[in-house]
Amino acid sequence: MIRTLVRIVQDFADPPASGDADNQNVKQTDQSWAVGLLTSLLQAKAETIRDEDYWEVHAALTIDTTAMAEACRNFYRAVFRSRGESDPVGLEALESECIYSSRMGERRAALEGIERVVAARRVAAEHAPELLPYLAGSLNNQALMQSDMGRRAEALESIAEAVKHHRSLAMAGPNAFLPDLAMSLNNLAIRQSDTGLRAEALESITQAVTHCRALARANLDAFLPDLAMTL
């Protein structure tokens, strides 16, 4: 049901500016109905949701649609408040809340939240190295949110650490982690350029392109968009 509602919201996310006014009104009404029902369902599930149901809902909410942002943020916020950051689902919910808060322009709150996530994931990875990929991903998100707040030096530090972790992970398991390394190198190049490190930025984006070319050769349909983004 949730996945279907998400699809309806996405289908009617951007009604055309011109054309049949009645048809546009119908689309907007359908979207409002879907968002309202989605909000009610998410609120009903949030505080008592089981782990397996959470991951199913989380997978259904991956589509980036502005109309859903508030409903999604509130769902993740309620899950986090119920579970807390010591629980894996609760910590993931906090990170997702931060992402949606950032999309809604709540940048300071998003940054404060992601800093909590990174701190918790750092401690967890020290005790369980298999959790290192989660730390690397959260560092990437932290870098984006620091950059949004104008904290360029800190953003560069965060993404550089993410690249370091993704590089070690890709050396051990290239099939699983090379795509993450390529994307984090792309983000590192952006942050380096932002801080005037042009030679370093060129080196980073060159590495990203090299990795994306290799990935696209192995699986064109999956990785051609990533290669195009880095070129």
Side-chain angles (χ1 to χ4, degrees), residues 66-100:
T66 303
M68 299 191 313
E70 184 174 4
C72 293
R73 181 206 60 189
N74 291 344
F75 166 72
Y76 287 119
R77 179 175 291 170
V79 172
F80 170 67
R81 287 176 175 171
S82 174
R83 297 291 195 100
E85 66 186 59
S86 61
D87 179 88
V89 165
L91 190 60
E92 179 64 37
L94 175 58
E95 183 158 9
S96 295
E97 178 193 342
C98 294
I99 291 170
Y100 279 101

Side-chain angles (χ1 to χ4, degrees), residues 8 12 28 32 35 54 66 81 103 105 110 113-114 119 131-132 145 159 166 179 192-193 196 200 207 209 211 226-227:
I8 292 171
F12 299 143
Q28 290 171 335
S32 297
V35 170
Y54 171 84
T66 303
R81 287 176 175 171
R103 290 175 185 169
I114 198 64
L131 298 178
L132 187 60
M145 294 175 196
I159 192 60
H166 278 137
Q192 288 168 326
S193 179
E200 291 87 345
Q207 291 180 34
V209 168
H211 295 318
D226 292 339
L227 174 59

